[in-house]
Amino acid sequence: MIQLSKKFLSKWAVVGAVLFMVVQVLTFLYLPTLTAGIINQGIAQHNLSYIIDQGIKMFFLSIVSVIAAGGNIYFAATQSQLMGKKIRSAIYRKVIYFSEQDLSHFGDSSLITRATNDVVQIQNVMVNMLRMMIMSPIMLITAIILAYTMSPKLTLIFVISLIILVIIIYLIMGQAIPLFRSIQGKTDNLNLTFREGLTGVRVIRAFNRDQYEQDRFDGYNRDYMNTGIKVYRLTAMLFPLLTVILNFTNIGIVWFGSQLIANHTFAVGNLVAFMSYATQILISFTMLSFMFVFLPRASASAARINEVLNQKDTITDPEQPVQTKATPDDHNATLEFDDVSYRFEDAERCALTDVSFKVHAGQTLAIIGGTGSGKSTLVNLIPRLIDPEKGVIKLDGTPINEMTQYDLHQLVSITQQKAVLFAGTIRSNMQFGNEKATDEEIWHALDVAQASDFIKREDGLDTKVEQNGENFSGGQKQRLAIARTIVKHAQVYVFDDSFSALDFKTDAKLRSDLRNDPMISNAISVIVAQRVSTIANADEIIVLDDGKVVGQGTHKELLANNPVYQSIVHSQIREGSDSNA
Ligand SMILES: Nc1ncnc2c1ncn2[C@@H]1O[C@H](COP(=O)(O)OP(=O)(O)OP(=O)(O)O)[C@@H](O)[C@H]1O
């Protein structure tokens, strides 16, 4: 909490809130003293002018108190909301640059819970802290001092009541705090199951797992509810108990106070003021204790948020980056891997071992290999979505980790294996990597990607794209993602298994259009594919097996002397003839 407050809470807000609160408390606490004066010197001595005088004072003090309370609430509410906004932005900024591993380490659902629910916990506590945490101690201490100056003997009653209250709060909090802490973890479980259910809804139905998933969700839901009930049952006991203590305290004050009045050592007005102080002291103390109940939950949330914000950046820009003069339209670059290896965190074996190659502008490099052989890992290294454990990757002779990521991403355009589209229109999606792309350029890219037909049948470039591109089929999404890659001007175009959802004919047409496109054909193309037919024309083919390069050369060379490539080719010919049979 402290770390987040230092970073995201304005110091002036705290100063403002404290100043207003001090004024509010002091004016508020002075009112019982004035009441005592009215009773003792006004009513008892039939002094009307004194009563009017004190009444006017009370009126103005009340107005000052209300204005001060408003000022404090304004600071507390706006600053806690502002703090929440800043934290959410910081989390989003951080997560956008997370590596794949960081993303899977935290999990999507947990990150969403942290950016929403956890931030709300911080906001709620912060607004109360800027009010209660300031008000309660000032109120408590000032009320005790004022009461003590009126009657040290009667103040003893508070001490006894406070001791009883401390014991009760200690017992209740001892049980409530661990429950509060556990609620955030349970929220994660709930969100995770809900999200998994939503994304996998078709699979769940198709496999008749709806009841199973419903029961699983109900389990987490019930667990969350039971914890909530336990917590609120415990904390709800606090108020009735406080009322009982308050009543007994007042009885004690009246009992002993009336004896003092009978002995003429205490005035009636003081007794009334004393009872007001008793109420304020006990309520302030309870409020303060409540803050200590809510604080653990908020600090659990703060710890979860800090975990994200303090996550070490795995992929960083160099302190003194090389200023690359290359522009996306310069098509004379080379892409070079020099002995590159990559290992996923905590993995025993490398996902990629000692990969070396060099491709020039105008050439196509193809990567082929079985499932899990390291193809995506290799291409993800090019735009630095991951960094190699060993070896150097150079673009245009410059190691890519010596440029800024911004510069690198300007030069590389990639279609990921899983096509991702964003809610908006076809035009907004196509302009994602090239804001200045004209309609003509976009239509050209859609033509090359074999995506223009189905777009023309809709509203053209204004066709709506739903969240995650849900209103398009898998193959259509893939073609649109390819078109988006083409719209961006780049020195290196990467297509990670992007043609797999296309039928043979469309695949062949798309590759031929790509070859004939002046921009793509002059740049470097890196194509990951499962089908030999997709890559047979490549200038260089890398055959991967278990992360190692087991073959490198042209289709002809590999077909002549590489057993792994030969077996891939033969298996696909067999598959083709089997399916034709
Ligand atoms: N986030 C990850 N954490 C740990 N290991 C991973 C992760 N992603 C992939 N791997 C492992 O790294 C290896 C290479 O994965 P990669 O995705 O590069 O294979 P691929 O050749 O692209 O497979 P496919 O053709 O199925 O897409 C696999 O053994 C996989 O299990």
Side-chain angles (χ1 to χ4, degrees):
M1 277 295 284
I2 295 172
Q3 201 180 336
L4 288 179
S5 307
K6 272 189 190 163
K7 248 191 199 166
F8 299 106
L9 189 66
S10 140
K11 283 185 198 77
W12 291 112
V14 181
V15 173
V18 172
L19 282 180
F20 277 115
M21 189 45 85
V22 170
V23 175
Q24 186 198 343
V25 171
L26 292 183
T27 47
F28 186 71
L29 282 178
Y30 193 49
L31 291 176
T33 310
L34 291 179
T35 314
I38 288 176
I39 296 171
N40 296 340
Q41 289 158 49
I43 299 172
Q45 295 169 23
H46 304 287
N47 186 345
L48 188 62
S49 66
Y50 184 83
I51 294 174
I52 293 171
D53 212 35
Q54 296 299 298
I56 292 170
K57 257 193 205 164
M58 279 179 89
F59 175 73
F60 282 110
L61 272 181
S62 301
I63 289 179
V64 173
S65 182
V66 167
I67 293 173
N72 172 270
I73 290 168
Y74 173 79
F75 270 106
T78 50
Q79 291 306 317
S80 60
Q81 289 299 323
L82 191 66
M83 185 180 175
K85 176 194 159 265
K86 286 184 192 166
I87 298 176
R88 279 191 295 272
S89 295
I91 295 177
Y92 189 71
R93 202 175 314 120
K94 184 81 187 182
V95 170
I96 285 280
Y97 288 101
F98 262 2
S99 66
E100 296 272 334
Q101 270 169 304
D102 290 339
L103 283 174
S104 56
H105 165 69
F106 286 102
D108 299 358
S109 316
S110 179
L111 285 171
I112 293 171
T113 315
R114 289 169 205 238
T116 51
N117 192 301
D118 282 308
V119 175
V120 171
Q121 298 305 324
I122 306 284
Q123 275 178 342
N124 289 347
V125 156
M126 200 42 76
V127 78
N128 284 321
M129 266 173 89
L130 289 174
R131 281 194 56 67
M132 301 300 172
M133 283 287 265
I134 301 171
M135 181 169 85
S136 301
I138 304 176
M139 192 84 109
L140 190 69
I141 293 168
T142 323
I144 288 179
I145 292 172
L146 289 174
Y148 188 80
T149 51
M150 276 188 178
S151 169
K153 268 190 195 162
L154 278 187
T155 311
L156 256 181
I157 298 174
F158 296 152
V159 176
I160 295 165
S161 305
L162 275 177
I163 290 172
I164 296 170
L165 199 59
V166 166
I167 294 170
I168 290 172
I169 287 171
Y170 177 79
L171 291 177
I172 290 179
M173 283 204 323
Q175 292 186 53
I177 288 173
L179 291 174
F180 266 125
R181 280 189 199 279
S182 72
I183 279 185
Q184 289 313 105
K186 292 184 198 292
T187 314
D188 264 358
N189 288 340
L190 210 59
N191 285 354
L192 178 77
T193 330
F194 200 88
R195 198 180 149 82
E196 234 176 28
L198 280 183
T199 45
V201 67
R202 290 183 192 170
V203 182
I204 292 170
R205 276 199 230 141
F207 280 79
N208 276 338
R209 298 288 280 182
D210 21 359
Q211 194 52 49
Y212 171 83
E213 285 298 322
Q214 179 70 52
D215 292 345
R216 196 159 75 100
F217 182 79
D218 285 348
Y220 287 127
N221 203 6
R222 201 174 314 112
D223 190 23
Y224 181 84
M225 178 193 74
N226 288 340
T227 315
I229 290 175
K230 271 189 215 159
V231 168
Y232 289 106
R233 206 184 283 153
L234 277 170
T235 47
M237 280 163 54
L238 209 53
F239 273 111
L241 287 170
L242 173 72
T243 316
V244 171
I245 295 171
L246 205 58
N247 288 340
F248 275 106
T249 309
N250 281 338
I251 292 171
I253 290 170
V254 174
W255 179 270
F256 291 106
S258 53
Q259 288 174 17
L260 293 177
I261 291 170
N263 296 338
H264 300 288
T265 48
F266 204 51
V268 180
N270 288 8
L271 189 68
V272 174
F274 217 86
M275 281 163 70
S276 291
Y277 290 138
T279 311
Q280 277 152 17
I281 288 170
L282 296 183
I283 288 181
S284 301
F285 190 77
T286 312
M287 288 299 181
L288 202 59
S289 322
F290 249 102
M291 283 307 301
F292 285 105
V293 175
F294 290 121
L295 258 181
R297 185 172 180 187
S299 17
S301 290
R304 285 158 53 87
I305 292 170
N306 281 328
E307 212 186 326
V308 176
L309 295 180
N310 296 339
Q311 181 71 13
K312 206 166 165 277
D313 291 331
T314 36
I315 298 180
T316 51
D317 280 341
E319 276 177 23
Q320 286 176 328
V322 173
Q323 297 297 329
T324 166
K325 286 186 208 78
T327 72
D329 293 315
D330 291 343
H331 289 152
N332 48 15
T334 51
L335 173 69
E336 190 178 351
F337 269 48
D338 188 7
D339 228 8
V340 172
S341 297
Y342 179 81
R343 185 196 307 271
F344 282 98
E345 205 178 79
D346 301 330
E348 277 178 23
R349 290 182 315 149
C350 280
L352 210 61
T353 314
D354 299 334
V355 176
S356 296
F357 63 80
K358 186 169 184 176
V359 262
H360 301 273
Q363 290 189 323
T364 299
L365 171 78
I367 324 281
I368 195 165
T371 299
S373 56
K375 304 182 294 294
S376 294
T377 308
L378 191 157
V379 293
N380 283 341
L381 285 160
I382 301 172
R384 281 192 78 198
L385 299 180
I386 48 177
D387 265 349
E389 181 185 73
K390 176 175 91 71
V392 185
I393 302 166
K394 290 182 192 162
L395 182 57
D396 211 11
T398 308
I400 57 172
N401 58 353
E402 290 182 11
M403 317 176 176
T404 63
Q405 291 171 73
Y406 181 84
D407 282 349
L408 175 65
H409 295 161
Q410 289 287 88
L411 304 176
V412 179
S413 188
I414 184 167
T415 308
Q416 301 275 352
Q417 190 170 20
K418 188 169 174 271
V420 176
L421 297 178
F422 297 91
T425 60
I426 292 290
R427 188 183 282 100
S428 67
N429 271 277
M430 292 302 121
Q431 288 177 331
F432 210 70
N434 178 3
E435 285 173 16
K436 293 191 186 121
T438 60
D439 283 6
E440 202 182 330
E441 284 175 292
I442 296 174
W443 277 118
H444 169 71
L446 289 167
D447 279 338
V448 173
Q450 313 301 306
S452 50
D453 281 357
F454 61 88
I455 296 301
K456 276 180 192 153
R457 283 200 296 272
E458 304 285 332
D459 289 338
L461 299 185
D462 294 318
T463 304
K464 241 178 127 47
V465 178
E466 305 283 345
Q467 202 179 22
N468 292 327
E470 297 289 353
N471 52 332
F472 294 100
S473 74
Q476 288 173 332
K477 270 200 268 188
Q478 214 164 25
R479 290 183 217 186
L480 290 171
I482 294 170
R484 180 179 57 200
T485 303
I486 300 170
V487 170
K488 182 175 167 184
H489 294 203
Q491 289 192 347
V492 183
Y493 288 91
V494 181
F495 301 96
D496 183 2
D497 212 359
S498 313
F499 309 140
S500 59
L502 309 177
D503 56 80
F504 278 91
K505 208 172 127 212
T506 316
D507 179 8
K509 177 84 171 64
L510 194 150
R511 279 181 290 111
S512 130
D513 284 1
L514 276 178
R515 265 197 310 276
N516 294 330
D517 181 274
M519 200 169 59
I520 310 280
S521 59
N522 284 325
I524 296 167
S525 294
V526 179
I527 297 178
V528 171
Q530 304 274 359
R531 289 200 287 253
V532 175
S533 59
T534 310
I535 57 159
N537 289 322
D539 299 285
E540 173 137 304
I541 299 170
I542 289 181
V543 187
L544 284 179
D545 186 24
D546 200 16
K548 294 180 195 72
V549 178
V550 291
Q552 201 160 350
T554 60
H555 173 70
K556 250 191 190 162
E557 288 162 1
L558 291 168
L559 199 56
N561 55 30
N562 188 277
V564 179
Y565 191 73
Q566 285 164 354
S567 76
I568 295 173
V569 173
H570 289 146
S571 70
Q572 292 189 6
I573 292 171
R574 242 194 340 269
E575 255 176 44
S577 55
D578 285 354
S579 59
N580 288 338

